[in-house]
Amino acid sequence: MLPVFQQFVQNPFPEFFAQAGSENLSQLVLEFLRSHVPFLATLPDPVLQLIAMLAVCVIFVAVVPLLPLFLVLAERKVSAHIQDRVGPMRVGPHGVLQTLADGVKLIFKEDHIPRQGDKILFIVAPYIIFACSFAVFAAIPFGKSILVSNLNIGIFYIMAISSVVVIGVIMAGWASNSKWSLLGALRSAAQIVSYEIPIGLSILAVVMLVESLKMQDIVMNQGGLGILSWIVFRTPFTFIAFFVFFISAIAEVNRTPFDLPEAESELVAGFHTEYSGMRFALFFIAEYANMFAVSAIAATLFLGGWKGIIPGYEFLGGTPGFVIKTMLLVFVMMWIRWTLPRLRVDQLMNLCWKYLIPISFFNILGIGIWVLIFQNDRNPAHIGISLLIIILGIIGAYLVLGKRSSQSPAPRASSA
Amino acid sequence: MRQYFSNIYLGVYSVFIGMAITFRQLFKPSVTHQYPYEHSFEQKKNVRDIPQGYRGQLFNRIEDCIGCKKCEMICPVDCIYITTEKLPKGERLWDSMNVVHLKDRTEIVGMIEGDEKIEADTTVSIQTRERGAVEIPSEQVARVVERKPVIFYLDKFDIDMSLCMYCGLCTEVCPTECLIMIDTLEGIEYSTFDRTNLIFKFAKPEMYDKPLDEAADAEAAD
């Protein structure tokens, strides 16, 4: 055991991890146990497999709740600095332990259940939301073999499981027996159901290009040419699809400017108004885990996943590179949150049904024609054409629409 | 149709403008004072200077105080408490003296030898109790103030700042101008865990060590 430990300390990422043999995390752990832990290798195979699976579970159960710990602090710091404040400063150096302290406080708080509410639904709702946002992580590829399960319906599974969150939200809103909660839950349901459509359609654009639903296939498809082979730049239509996806994703995780379900000034806190203590913390963890998951999906689908920027080099590649890309997208979400004011309900629906969905359908059409003409061969010439169209499109929009709109009295802009 | 695309363009464009503004704000230095840890308000550029004559915290230069109790009498809220003990008749703590304020904000207490009016480009010799004769070039002298003779022990000179209403009447009646209101932000800090900390004690009993000997010494020095 000691030499193994020594080797692990000296070289925490041995060549073992680079081997192509294992397809997902539990296989990786299984191989590690077989080759490096002699006294476990004598156990029968099913037991060993069970141990490997449980180990993976423990890793994810331990890591995912730690995400909000970091993200909440990041959010508070980013918001503070955007508003010329400094944010939490007291607990630990520069307040780095603030969320830990808040978490401890939430654990010790009274767990209050409304007397007139539906007790069972009230108790179950946070677990449904938490489990669903947690389950999304099963299909996100963090690296070549750092993946819980390489499902052959990966992205479809993610869409399906993240839609179940709505049920939890409505349960929470109904069971609280509070008008604020119910209003927030209904708004949330309307919003999530509406924005599923542009999300699905922009994912469909990627799937049409890659011709696979497997997350790992989508990542593999973006290798070879570094940043140029990322799906965002591959065709002009996926470039638009990325923005449609990101906007809808922000709406999907109920963040400002689409935070109508929890609008503080209107609905107290929306569907989790009546929750306290650990149940509230579960909502909170789920919210931030969702945020991370959605950014990770965007990074996987459009920004090359764990593939690096420069072909042949590992720069911004692998698991650290993937996490950096995801965190950048999370930062953009926070950035948007502290830039834009909340939309009205009618504006929210306008944006979805009148702008995002038609654009998505146009994208589907365009990407079909693109695949028909150019195939998906990652030819540098085709990517060059795509980049040219993207740049010309931006310049053209500026020349044609920019001047015109500055002269005419500004119409009511539906912020996108 | 054109309106439709124009709307999209405007939406995207205005979002990017807004995001550029917030991104610039992200790197601006923050304006927060970390209050209990950062007392130096003056060093922050975004705080205005306190105007001259601001009625701040009360301060008494007890060395100049003659214990006349005028401030105690005029105080509308009775927040000044003075007890004095009179010396035997004819005795004095000290006679009238000169306080020479120097330009480097220090001061020398003693009797100026010769003319009290200081002329330029001369040296001033001052007889002090502690250091004997001190020679000072006259260009260093800011001003000379007379210190009145003191015939009381000032046992107690307390001001309860939690009662003070900052009317400034006590500073106006003070004949020796020893009771003043500080016009800096230094004296604006009152937060404390114990209310009794707000009773400022200005009396210095240690000034009166061996009072009779000192008085005698002072007389001998004269």
Side-chain angles (χ1 to χ4, degrees), chain A residues 161-185:
Chain A
I161 204 83
S162 59
S163 305
V164 183
V165 172
V166 189
I167 294 171
V169 168
I170 293 181
M171 275 166 75
W174 175 256
S176 297
N177 194 21
S178 146
K179 51 184 173 296
W180 308 126
S181 302
L182 189 58
L183 276 172

Side-chain angles (χ1 to χ4, degrees), chain A residues 336-398:
Chain A
I336 289 174
R337 172 168 181 182
W338 298 103
T339 302
L340 297 175
R342 186 183 308 131
L343 266 65
R344 261 191 343 243
V345 181
D346 63 317
Q347 289 170 337
L348 180 90
M349 289 301 160
N350 256 349
L351 177 63
C352 181
W353 293 99
K354 286 191 185 166
Y355 291 93
L356 295 182
I357 290 176
I359 291 170
S360 306
F361 276 121
F362 166 74
N363 260 340
I364 299 283
L365 188 69
I367 203 113
I369 294 167
W370 185 278
V371 173
L372 209 63
I373 298 172
F374 294 118
Q375 274 83 47
N376 178 29
D377 52 1
R378 277 179 287 161
N379 188 336
H382 297 167
I383 296 167
I385 293 170
S386 147
L387 281 176
L388 200 69
I389 293 174
I390 292 170
I391 292 163
L392 283 180
I394 292 169
I395 294 171
Y398 177 72

Side-chain angles (χ1 to χ4, degrees), chain A residues 78 81-82 84-86 89-90 331 335-336 338-339 354-355 358-359 397-398 400-402 404-405 411 414 416, chain B residues 2-12 15-16 18-19 22-23 25-26 28-32 34 36-37:
Chain A
V78 166
H81 283 285
I82 282 177
D84 288 354
R85 298 182 283 116
V86 288
M89 287 290 276
R90 295 297 168 76
F331 169 73
W335 184 7
I336 289 174
W338 298 103
T339 302
K354 286 191 185 166
Y355 291 93
I359 291 170
Y398 177 72
V400 176
L401 300 166
R404 183 63 181 264
S405 55
S414 69
Chain B
R2 192 188 183 96
Q3 189 65 53
Y4 181 81
F5 286 110
S6 187
N7 278 351
I8 294 175
Y9 176 82
L10 250 181
V12 174
V15 167
F16 277 118
M19 285 175 78
T22 41
F23 196 69
Q25 288 290 323
L26 191 60
K28 272 193 183 172
S30 63
V31 295
T32 309
Q34 292 287 306
Y37 305 126

Side-chain angles (χ1 to χ4, degrees), chain B residues 83-140:
Chain B
T83 46
T84 56
E85 192 188 322
K86 203 171 185 183
L87 288 168
K89 195 165 189 182
E91 286 189 40
R92 284 174 172 185
L93 263 184
W94 53 70
D95 276 321
S96 138
M97 260 185 284
N98 298 116
V99 181
V100 181
H101 292 270
L102 301 183
K103 278 177 181 161
D104 57 352
R105 290 177 175 270
T106 56
E107 59 191 30
I108 299 170
V109 182
M111 290 301 295
I112 295 176
E113 291 195 338
D115 194 4
E116 281 191 17
K117 270 202 166 180
I118 291 165
E119 281 155 33
D121 299 329
T122 53
T123 53
V124 185
S125 74
I126 306 158
Q127 281 292 338
T128 61
R129 275 188 291 164
E130 294 88 5
R131 293 186 287 167
V134 179
E135 301 273 319
I136 298 289
S138 62
E139 63 260 25
Q140 281 188 23

